[in-house]
Amino acid sequence: MDENWQNKHIVFFDGECGVCNFWVQWILERDKNDQFMFASLQSDFGQSFLSERGLETKVFNTMYLWKPNQYYLIKSKAVLQIASILGGIYKLTGIGKIFPASVSDRIYDIISRNRMKLANQKCYLPTPHQRGKFIEV
C-alpha cells in the first residue's frame, strides 16, 4: 500500500452514511493544504485501525481522526480538531473546546443517532486529486 498517508490526518467515517459523506466532501473542498486523507470504517484499512485499538468493528456511528504515531480523537474532539487543522474561519470552532467532552459528545451522539434520517446517500464524484485522498475506497 502507498504509505503517503503516514504524514496526514486520516478521517475515518461511515461509508454508508449520507451525513458522513457530506462532511467528507465538505472537508475535501476546504483542505487547501492537503492535510487529510479518508478511509471508511468498513474498509480493510478502517477495520484494521479499529481492531488494533480494541474499538467497535461492527457499529459505525463514530468519526475518528488519526494522526499516525501521534494521536487519535473521536466524536466531537475529532470534529473540532478537523476544523482547527483547516484553519481560517474554521478555527473559531475551537471555542467548542471550552465545553466538556461529555456535553459536546452528547450533541454528537444525538446527531449520530439520527444521521440516517438527516441525509440519504448521494452519488458524489470526486476529482482525480480528491480520489487520491481515499485509502481503500
Side-chain angles (χ1 to χ4, degrees):
M1 172 192 296
D2 187 359
E3 301 293 321
N4 66 344
W5 53 267
Q6 290 285 348
N7 296 316
K8 304 285 185 177
H9 297 275
I10 301 169
V11 177
F12 291 93
F13 64 99
D14 181 350
E16 298 176 0
C17 168
V19 170
C20 304
N21 282 288
F22 168 82
W23 284 111
V24 166
Q25 292 169 40
W26 187 89
I27 296 166
L28 276 168
E29 292 169 6
R30 288 155 182 83
D31 184 20
K32 304 301 182 208
N33 295 324
D34 242 2
Q35 301 177 87
F36 293 97
M37 291 192 75
F38 305 87
S40 75
L41 291 164
Q42 292 92 335
S43 70
D44 290 341
F45 189 78
Q47 287 290 294
S48 181
F49 168 83
L50 295 170
S51 294
E52 288 170 5
R53 287 155 187 82
L55 301 168
E56 175 60 53
T57 60
K58 302 285 184 223
V59 179
F60 308 114
N61 61 356
T62 299
M63 178 187 286
Y64 299 88
L65 177 66
W66 180 42
K67 178 71 171 172
N69 301 314
Q70 293 186 31
Y71 65 82
Y72 77 89
L73 303 171
I74 65 171
K75 299 184 180 187
S76 63
K77 287 198 179 293
V79 171
L80 293 171
Q81 185 67 18
I82 290 167
S84 179
I85 293 166
L86 287 172
I89 192 145
Y90 307 111
K91 267 195 149 177
L92 294 176
T93 61
I95 197 163
K97 293 178 181 178
I98 65 170
F99 297 105
S102 60
V103 172
S104 55
D105 280 349
R106 193 167 299 139
I107 295 166
Y108 181 98
D109 288 338
I110 291 168
I111 295 168
S112 177
R113 271 194 307 277
N114 294 292
R115 72 190 193 282
M116 296 302 190
K117 298 174 198 168
L118 295 172
N120 293 324
Q121 181 74 296
K122 294 183 174 87
C123 183
Y124 173 68
L125 298 173
T127 66
H129 176 72
Q130 290 172 335
R131 251 193 317 275
K133 293 179 152 212
F134 288 84
I135 302 170
E136 292 188 35
V137 176

